[in-house]
Amino acid sequence: MKYTEINQKDTTELLKLLKEKESLLFELRLKLKTMQLTNSNEIRVAKKDIARIKTALNSKRRVEV
């Protein structure tokens, strides 16, 4: 997911998306520990998506204040 796509969403959508990505990251980590994860690159992608969402949320909060 690209930052431009994320930045176009409003705050409530971003919070919902953040919660989904964090639960996905949790599931991926569990699969990694139980040796069920075939592509470990998915963890890296999920972490970067979470960082992009948090960056967009912070920029929106700064504009509001």
Side-chain angles (χ1 to χ4, degrees):
M1 186 170 263
K2 294 189 176 186
Y3 182 75
T4 54
E5 297 172 10
I6 294 172
N7 203 22
Q8 293 173 354
K9 298 183 182 207
D10 64 341
T11 308
T12 55
E13 290 178 20
L14 287 175
L15 290 173
K16 183 179 174 185
L17 188 61
L18 179 65
K19 194 170 191 176
E20 290 173 7
K21 290 289 183 179
E22 286 178 340
S23 65
L24 174 69
L25 180 62
F26 178 75
E27 291 173 13
L28 289 172
R29 285 182 174 157
L30 280 178
K31 286 182 180 180
L32 181 69
K33 295 291 182 185
T34 58
M35 302 297 283
Q36 295 176 352
L37 188 64
T38 56
N39 186 6
S40 60
N41 192 37
E42 293 176 28
I43 294 177
R44 184 177 180 206
V45 171
K47 282 182 177 182
K48 287 188 176 193
D49 283 344
I50 290 171
R52 286 185 191 107
I53 294 168
K54 286 183 177 182
T55 301
L57 279 171
N58 283 334
S59 67
K60 288 183 186 291
R61 287 182 183 149
R62 287 185 179 158
V63 170
E64 291 174 358
V65 174

